[in-house]
Amino acid sequence: MRRFAYCKVVLATSLVWVMLDMFILLYFSECNKCDDKKERGLPGRDVVDGLSRPRDGPGEGGKPVVIPKENQEKMKEMFKINQFNLMASEMIALNRSLPDVRLEGCKNKLYPDNLPRTSVVIVFHNEAWSTLLRTVHSVIDRSPHTLLEEIVLVDDASERDFLKRPLEQYVRKLEVPVRVVRMEQRSGLIRARLKGASISTGGCQVITFLDAHCECTTGWLEPLLARIKQDKKTVVCPIIDVISDDTFEYMAGSDMTYGGFNWKLNFRWYPVPQREMDRRKGDRTLPVRTPTMAGGLFSIDRDYFQEIGTYDAGMDIWGGENLEISFRIWQCGGTLEIVTCSHVGHVFRKATPYTFPGGTGQIINKNNRRLAEVWMDEFKNFFYIISPGVTKVDYGDISTRSALRQKLQCKPFSWYLENVYPDSQIPRHYYSLGEIRNVETNQCLDNMARKENEKVGIFNCHGMGGNQQVFSYTANKEIRTDDLCLDVSKLNGPVMMLKCHHLKGNQLWEYDPVKLTLVHVNSNQCLDKASEEDSQVPSVRDCTHSRSQQWLLRNVTLPEVF
């Protein structure tokens, strides 16, 4: 009787699971009919069941998806949910084909057989089903399974039902172990990644972080692991290719750019300098040493990640963590590289669909203040003068991070600027930083939010900092605002803002702290107030020692430079 009762229980349990699977499939197929935005982002049954898109289907080969005119309005509504073309994404197979965009020299490279294994950690919050699963499938399909320990999906308190039990059911059937870990409350990228790293299998040597809307290409993993095998203190990033947020076209990124930042501590891509090309002896298949990483995609030795202090857990949600870990790697004895033989695509969105507790600006200001206080030494003044509101933000206790810097015997930020990022927009030596005020008119030089190849302006001084009225007069005798320098190419002007070239010439200015004059050396003329013809543009004229040619430079910090 007991055996018969046990069999009935087993049979009933099996029926429950069968019914549950049928319910899930029905749920998937009906989801596209839902109006509730929380239920969007999930494709129909054809994708869920068999990945059954034909090889000439939408988006195959990384080609763009074109939405018919009759579906344009629906497409626009769906776009708002994740801030990318969800309709196009749902039309594409979860395992679509991609072009091999590697340099020819990369395709023939051989790697050791005994490369370290990696766990792949992917954090998501309310991610669309199609983009999240396309990320997972691309990792599985284009990684040697001998090198792939597991995939850890960290759910940062998603609210969408299909990212709960249905997701767990789906990944359970994949040929590589995939774990779904849940954050109890919305914690943000930084703490969610720390969670994923902490619970990932300790037996693997490397942790690889990816975003939840990526697609890995052929041969992406081996070159990353090979560099870490050579030196565990080398932190490596792939070339980040662009997946269009509009059409999902796959577009190869350039191997001729690397990561930097501006005065506001915004990450930026800049051309790889000639000195780095020379170091590699012109071989573009060799890794590029990069001053900073974009932050979303990188691999790191597990023990080294712990050794250098993982992430700053005092930072909130997202923002600034990529620069913080970049500074820390370089200043504390490591190396940061872009491995040009590794390509991973990423959907770049023009806006975020998420809200952050406390407000995006407040969170990023706090995070940036923490990294500036711990790692930037006196050069934090560039950031504070251009972003004065940051100094009013409560940035918490940084004593443990400062102690970490002491423990690791990390180098000063001046070393970083001189040895790692000599092309930085922050000059290593400067005479003044702040406003440049005309004595007669009491007006200030102002970039008027203009761009390269436009005239510099002059406007009422507002004393609010910001990037419009902050200029540095450098030891190279440039007058610069971020990466633009004041440039005069002919007598009597105009005064333009051009990319700083460090070759002096038309960008060379002599400041006389007694006469208060700024002499443009090539023309031997003085910077003067605005002309009558254009009241918002300063000029250069023959020097007359008049008050209109006198300028006060604020925040003079290093008079010994001259």
Side-chain angles (χ1 to χ4, degrees):
M1 289 295 291
R2 287 182 180 177
R3 181 175 296 177
F4 178 73
Y6 174 77
C7 291
K8 287 200 297 182
V9 170
V10 171
L11 179 60
T13 303
S14 299
L15 287 172
V16 168
W17 280 110
V18 169
M19 291 175 67
L20 180 59
D21 279 342
M22 291 177 66
F23 168 76
I24 289 170
L25 293 177
L26 179 62
Y27 171 82
F28 285 170
S29 63
E30 291 297 316
C31 186
N32 283 335
K33 301 175 184 178
C34 298
D35 292 324
D36 184 352
K37 288 185 178 180
K38 290 185 179 181
E39 303 303 328
R40 295 297 318 173
L42 182 65
R45 179 171 178 169
D46 54 345
V47 174
V48 174
D49 280 351
L51 309 173
S52 54
R53 296 295 190 195
R55 281 301 167 205
D56 59 351
E60 290 300 325
K63 293 179 180 178
V65 175
V66 179
I67 304 298
K69 289 184 179 180
E70 59 269 22
N71 293 332
Q72 290 286 319
E73 287 305 314
K74 183 179 179 183
M75 177 197 74
K76 292 176 183 177
E77 283 302 309
M78 293 175 65
F79 194 100
K80 299 174 185 176
I81 301 168
N82 291 91
Q83 287 299 319
F84 53 67
N85 191 340
L86 183 55
M87 180 178 287
S89 182
E90 290 183 353
M91 295 169 63
I92 300 171
L94 298 185
N95 62 344
R96 74 157 164 178
S97 59
L98 292 176
D100 187 345
V101 296
R102 293 175 295 174
L103 294 166
E104 286 302 316
C106 294
K107 297 176 183 178
N108 301 319
K109 283 186 179 289
L110 299 176
Y111 300 100
D113 293 330
N114 58 341
L115 292 176
R117 291 168 65 83
T118 186
S119 290
V120 177
V121 176
I122 301 170
V123 174
F124 67 92
H125 172 72
N126 288 344
E127 187 65 43
W129 177 273
S130 55
T131 48
L132 177 60
L133 268 299
R134 199 173 294 119
T135 303
V136 171
H137 278 286
S138 73
V139 172
I140 294 173
D141 295 346
R142 301 192 180 98
S143 305
H145 289 190
T146 55
L147 303 179
L148 189 57
E149 181 75 20
E150 63 179 344
I151 298 173
V152 179
L153 301 179
V154 186
D155 175 14
D156 188 19
S158 295
E159 301 158 317
R160 297 172 182 172
D161 290 339
F162 61 79
L163 293 172
K164 298 185 172 24
R165 186 58 178 265
L167 177 63
E168 293 173 8
Q169 287 289 103
Y170 185 90
V171 301
R172 186 180 299 163
K173 301 173 183 177
L174 299 176
E175 59 267 38
V176 167
V178 180
R179 285 197 277 172
V180 181
V181 181
R182 311 285 183 183
M183 301 297 287
E184 294 182 1
Q185 60 185 12
R186 181 91 158 97
S187 303
L189 177 74
I190 297 167
R191 295 189 182 101
R193 279 189 166 180
L194 287 173
K195 176 80 170 180
S198 68
I199 65 96
S200 61
T201 304
C204 65
Q205 186 178 338
V206 175
I207 301 173
T208 298
F209 294 103
L210 295 178
D211 281 345
H213 29 268
C214 292
E215 292 181 61
C216 302
T217 66
T218 300
W220 76 283
L221 185 57
E222 296 94 317
L224 299 177
L225 299 179
R227 285 299 292 156
I228 292 175
K229 178 178 172 59
Q230 288 178 336
D231 182 357
K232 79 167 195 173
K233 292 186 176 182
T234 299
V235 181
V236 290
C237 311
I239 289 179
I240 304 178
D241 299 332
V242 175
I243 301 173
S244 168
D245 62 343
D246 185 35
T247 66
F248 276 76
E249 179 181 7
Y250 195 99
M251 295 169 280
S254 173
D255 67 290
M256 298 298 289
T257 59
Y258 75 169
F261 59 93
N262 62 14
W263 286 3
K264 298 191 76 172
L265 298 186
N266 294 326
F267 174 86
R268 290 287 185 270
W269 294 107
Y270 294 103
V272 173
Q274 186 60 45
R275 60 180 173 77
E276 183 62 12
M277 293 297 296
D278 294 342
R279 185 190 68 81
R280 298 186 299 160
K281 298 180 179 179
D283 186 351
R284 291 165 57 187
T285 69
L286 294 179
V288 173
R289 291 183 177 178
T290 181
T292 64
M293 68 162 83
L297 295 68
F298 69 97
S299 295
I300 187 169
D301 180 272
R302 175 187 293 277
D303 294 336
Y304 184 58
F305 188 49
Q306 293 293 328
E307 179 185 324
I308 64 166
T310 63
Y311 279 112
D312 177 0
M315 287 186 168
D316 292 334
I317 308 293
W318 168 88
E321 84 288 343
N322 59 323
L323 296 190
E324 193 274 342
I325 197 171
S326 299
F327 296 166
R328 182 156 36 97
I329 289 165
W330 280 114
Q331 289 175 241
C332 304
T335 303
L336 181 59
E337 294 180 344
I338 296 173
V339 177
T340 55
C341 285
S342 174
H343 282 259
V344 177
H346 182 274
V347 179
F348 286 93
R349 296 181 283 205
K350 301 176 183 66
T352 176
Y354 312 127
T355 57
F356 299 137
T360 306
Q362 182 81 359
I363 288 168
I364 293 177
N365 283 344
K366 173 189 175 180
N367 293 351
N368 282 340
R369 179 85 190 272
R370 288 180 68 87
L371 80 88
E373 287 292 329
V374 176
W375 298 105
M376 292 183 68
D377 305 325
E378 70 274 15
F379 293 93
K380 65 189 177 185
N381 292 327
F382 274 84
F383 179 48
Y384 293 157
I385 289 175
I386 205 166
S387 305
V390 173
T391 59
K392 301 174 184 177
V393 172
D394 179 7
Y395 58 96
D397 183 6
I398 58 171
S399 59
T400 57
R401 305 306 288 181
S402 298
L404 174 70
R405 179 174 175 173
Q406 289 294 324
K407 175 186 174 182
L408 298 176
Q409 298 181 329
C410 304
K411 294 180 173 66
F413 197 70
S414 58
W415 174 90
Y416 170 85
L417 292 177
E418 184 170 351
N419 294 276
V420 178
Y421 197 16
D423 316 283
S424 168
Q425 318 319 325
I426 297 179
R428 297 193 300 280
H429 304 290
Y430 57 96
Y431 178 74
S432 71
L433 174 63
E435 66 182 27
I436 298 179
R437 183 185 294 252
N438 187 271
V439 171
E440 180 177 285
T441 66
N442 211 31
Q443 291 183 314
C444 287
L445 291 186
D446 194 309
N447 69 26
M448 311 288 282
R450 292 169 178 162
K451 300 178 181 179
E452 183 182 4
N453 294 322
E454 295 185 333
K455 298 175 183 178
V456 71
I458 188 166
F459 203 70
N460 294 333
C461 302
H462 51 59
M464 301 284 292
N467 60 348
Q468 293 186 337
Q469 293 189 358
V470 175
F471 293 82
S472 67
Y473 182 52
T474 74
N476 291 328
K477 301 186 177 181
E478 305 161 323
I479 301 174
R480 63 184 299 160
T481 173
D482 211 342
D483 60 344
L484 300 179
C485 282
L486 265 59
D487 188 297
V488 179
S489 61
K490 59 183 180 181
L491 287 174
N492 302 317
V495 183
M496 306 291 291
M497 293 184 297
L498 299 179
K499 280 287 177 65
C500 300
H501 52 55
H502 313 299
L503 300 175
K504 299 186 177 182
N506 291 335
Q507 296 180 358
L508 182 64
W509 299 82
E510 290 274 6
Y511 182 65
D512 188 324
V514 177
K515 297 178 181 178
L516 305 181
T517 53
L518 276 165
V519 178
H520 182 250
V521 175
N522 263 13
S523 65
N524 199 31
Q525 292 186 311
C526 287
L527 186 66
D528 209 330
K529 68 178 183 181
S531 64
E532 294 181 1
E533 294 81 23
D534 193 338
S535 61
Q536 289 189 329
V537 178
S539 59
V540 287
R541 297 189 185 92
D542 293 338
C543 299
T544 61
H545 309 295
S546 64
R547 283 170 56 83
S548 68
Q549 294 182 350
Q550 292 182 326
W551 301 86
L552 296 175
L553 276 55
R554 300 291 182 175
N555 298 306
V556 175
T557 55
L558 298 175
E560 68 273 17
V561 168
F562 301 99

